[in-house]
Amino acid sequence: MKRKYSGFTLVELLVVIAIIGVLVGLTIPAVQSVRSSARQTTCLNNLKQVTTASASFETTNGYLAYHWNNYNGQNACWVVPLLPHLGESALWNKWEQGNAQYNTISFLTCPDTPKKKKTTAGLSYVANCGFNSGGSVYHDSGNVYAFQLGAFVSGSDKRAMTSKMKDGATYTILFSENNQATTWNSGNAYQYGIFWQGSSNIGLGADHKSNSSDWAHARPSSNHPQYGANASFADGSAKYLTRNVDYTLYCQLMAPNDKKAAQKSGNSAIDGVMKTTALEN
């Protein structure tokens, strides 16, 4: 009697392997997309935490923190005055005692930041420092004041506050991501802040592939898909800004007083109607 053997033929085995390969090929992009979305959400939550800390500082002191000031003989950016409001009271106490330390704070770095940029005291988020005046931070002159052109001011000026944002807190950027941000012990304003100027062809996300670190690239950008960037506003909200946001709208969102912004920059379009529909995503 002949025996009957059960099993796969070579052709059947190859077909099964091919089907499995197709299924894996379809699954991997979906998993990567979910992970990317999760990282972007984590980044958005980090930004909200920083924004909440800023609001807490203003509630306590009556004005917004300085983007740059001297703390017990040590110059430092906006991260330092927000330390006690970021749950870093112990570190803030060291600064108050004149013992400046730059620790790594995990939620100040975007999960999509390349590993080579994740250094000690790393920083992915930057503050709205206002108007770029010929390669430097704009200071008061004439009838236009620094706090009318940006959310945060430097030195000991206590006039910057949410209630003075004439265009409304909903349409004034506080913080955003920027790829050229390095560490929060940097002394260069364009590495811990973003700026606007009268006119520019460098829009949102312009430096996502650039190694440049200069005033021209101090715009919102990130390593997220489509190379837009998360940004937070003075009303506490936060959202993803795509690269399609018009540069004029960006200037309007940066300046708390569009009328004064148009006066200072000479760009009358900034005082026009704000096309907020571009912010819907």
Side-chain angles (χ1 to χ4, degrees), residues 108-144:
L108 291 182
T109 305
C110 171
D112 273 334
T113 298
K115 289 184 179 180
K116 62 182 180 180
K117 286 191 174 183
K118 290 183 178 180
T119 59
T120 302
L123 186 66
S124 297
Y125 310 111
V126 290
N128 173 1
C129 298
F131 188 69
N132 171 8
S133 178
S136 63
V137 182
Y138 172 80
H139 297 284
D140 296 346
S141 68
N143 296 321
V144 181

Side-chain angles (χ1 to χ4, degrees), residues 37-170:
S37 179
R39 290 193 298 270
Q40 187 171 327
T41 299
T42 298
C43 176
L44 190 66
N45 290 333
N46 289 348
L47 199 57
K48 286 181 178 179
Q49 190 167 349
V50 172
T51 304
T52 299
S54 177
S56 176
F57 178 97
E58 184 177 14
T59 299
T60 302
N61 297 280
Y63 55 91
L64 289 167
Y66 314 124
H67 68 71
W68 183 257
N69 201 10
N70 185 285
Y71 299 91
N72 285 328
Q74 180 71 31
N75 289 325
C77 75
W78 57 268
V79 173
V80 173
L82 294 189
L83 286 175
H85 306 276
L86 290 169
E88 298 289 339
S89 296
L91 182 56
W92 168 248
N93 289 335
K94 292 179 180 179
W95 274 83
E96 281 194 309
Q97 296 166 7
N99 182 17
Q101 291 190 15
Y102 297 94
N103 295 1
T104 297
I105 302 175
S106 61
F107 52 82
L108 291 182
T109 305
C110 171
D112 273 334
T113 298
K115 289 184 179 180
K116 62 182 180 180
K117 286 191 174 183
K118 290 183 178 180
T119 59
T120 302
L123 186 66
S124 297
Y125 310 111
V126 290
N128 173 1
C129 298
F131 188 69
N132 171 8
S133 178
S136 63
V137 182
Y138 172 80
H139 297 284
D140 296 346
S141 68
N143 296 321
V144 181
Y145 300 99
F147 71 90
Q148 296 171 326
L149 304 180
F152 300 96
V153 296
S154 61
S156 57
D157 192 334
K158 299 181 180 181
R159 291 175 294 176
M161 54 188 71
T162 303
S163 61
K164 288 188 176 182
M165 294 177 177
K166 192 170 182 179
D167 298 335
T170 304

Side-chain angles (χ1 to χ4, degrees), residues 21-41:
V22 170
L23 292 175
V24 171
L26 292 173
T27 303
I28 290 177
V31 171
Q32 291 176 333
S33 178
V34 170
R35 288 179 175 176
S36 176
S37 179
R39 290 193 298 270
Q40 187 171 327
T41 299

Side-chain angles (χ1 to χ4, degrees), residues 156-209:
S156 57
D157 192 334
K158 299 181 180 181
R159 291 175 294 176
M161 54 188 71
T162 303
S163 61
K164 288 188 176 182
M165 294 177 177
K166 192 170 182 179
D167 298 335
T170 304
Y171 300 113
T172 303
I173 292 175
L174 281 189
F175 300 97
S176 82
E177 302 175 81
N178 184 255
N179 277 352
Q180 69 177 23
T182 52
T183 62
W184 55 274
N185 66 345
S186 172
N188 296 318
Y190 53 75
Q191 291 179 324
Y192 64 77
I194 50 174
F195 297 84
W196 67 275
Q197 56 192 39
S199 61
S200 173
N201 58 3
I202 299 180
L204 273 65
D207 66 341
H208 70 273
K209 291 183 179 180

